[in-house]
Amino acid sequence: MQTTSVLIQSLCVPCCNRCRHCLLSANGTVEGADWDRSVWTAERYLNELRQQRPELNTSFSFGYSMEHPKLREAIRTLHRLGSPTATFLQCDGMKMRNETECRALAAMLRDEGIQQLNFTVYGLPDYHDRFAGRSGDFALIERMMKAAREIGLPFTVGIPLTEENVSQADAVVERMTAAGCSKTSLFIPHEEGRGRLLEDVRLRLRDLSCLFPAVRGLLNETIYRTEAEWLKAPELAESKSRHILISLRKDNIEDYEKRSAVSVLEEIEALDERYYQAFPSFSELAAQYGDPKGDRLYRVRDLFYHYRRLYAAAHPVDVPDLMDETRSGSRRI
């Protein structure tokens, strides 16, 4: 298995939302290592990997919420370290701001080289706020969009689709277009983190029929197919490469500070091999757990994870869950 990329992250930034599908199962606790220690370690690792493993695509991130307490300094650090997130900022889990504060933030982001913002919208205002776990979140997003539009800072929107909110998608896309969104995309949530709680409302193929054709076209139906379709071509689940995540945490930073980047990378690669050896292949799992008539929509890697979860619930699997993005792990792609 070939490693193609390495992301070094420190989840040191709090998120103000409690979204139902949260990849990180955010609960207000910050697990990332101290920012200064994280930057020092990340910079050393990046320099080492770029010298010793130049074929790898390497980057550094402070996570999925943009509310860094020293955001301007953090963006400058990302620029210095050559991180792609230095120009693309996810504006999820923001603290509440009024219009004046949103304008000031948007201007600062533009001045520091941010070229595009991204927002996640779960539905129309009331539904969105319930899903995000915070009253007023939809209105905050629209204030921030307005501030960005006024200064010519582009923004995009992602809309996760489930059986619950699919009937709202047409109206949400129309509203985002009117707000000045440069691109809107639809996606289907995974089962990682709190995403497992959405398993019962996973989108079905029949649900797409309620969408306007132009809105349905915003969902990549090459990537998202029914379980039945994936079972007809199980070879498509075979991964050819992997992405490694090195998560700098309060409980490992002291150890990582003493080690080389290559030794940490090799340790996670070995863990990846152990993890996948602990499970049957996709074809074997599909034979046991698959529904050949299943009409729920998945990415193939999400369906593979779904089957692994079912297998782990029935069999002792003595390996950590590498899909836990709060910890070091891997993604096969």
Side-chain angles (χ1 to χ4, degrees), residues 15 75 88 103 126 166 168 233 272 289 330:
C15 182
I75 294 171
F88 174 84
R103 290 192 185 100
D126 289 345
V166 66
Q168 303 175 40
D272 170 271
Y289 299 107
S330 67

Side-chain angles (χ1 to χ4, degrees), residues 151-167:
I151 62 169
L153 181 57
F155 58 89
T156 60
V157 168
I159 304 172
L161 285 185
T162 69
E163 286 184 339
E164 284 185 351
N165 73 346
V166 66
S167 63

Side-chain angles (χ1 to χ4, degrees), residues 130-228:
R130 291 196 303 273
F131 193 100
R134 183 171 60 153
S135 178
D137 192 70
F138 190 99
L140 170 63
I141 288 174
E142 289 199 318
R143 285 196 296 275
M144 194 64 198
M145 287 178 174
K146 179 182 178 183
R149 185 178 67 248
E150 288 174 348
I151 62 169
L153 181 57
F155 58 89
T156 60
V157 168
I159 304 172
L161 285 185
T162 69
E163 286 184 339
E164 284 185 351
N165 73 346
V166 66
S167 63
Q168 303 175 40
D170 290 337
V172 174
V173 170
E174 181 180 8
R175 190 158 176 164
M176 294 301 101
T177 301
C181 178
S182 60
K183 180 181 179 181
T184 302
S185 58
L186 308 179
F187 66 94
I188 297 173
H190 47 65
E191 292 181 15
E192 299 166 31
R194 276 202 293 267
R196 66 188 182 278
L197 302 178
L198 300 180
E199 184 177 348
D200 291 341
V201 293
R202 176 171 287 276
L203 199 71
R204 296 178 184 271
L205 182 62
R206 65 182 183 229
D207 298 320
L208 295 177
S209 63
C210 76
L211 298 175
F212 291 141
V215 173
R216 179 169 177 168
L218 301 176
L219 179 73
N220 187 336
E221 292 186 59
T222 300
I223 295 175
Y224 295 105
R225 305 183 190 180
T226 65
E227 180 179 10

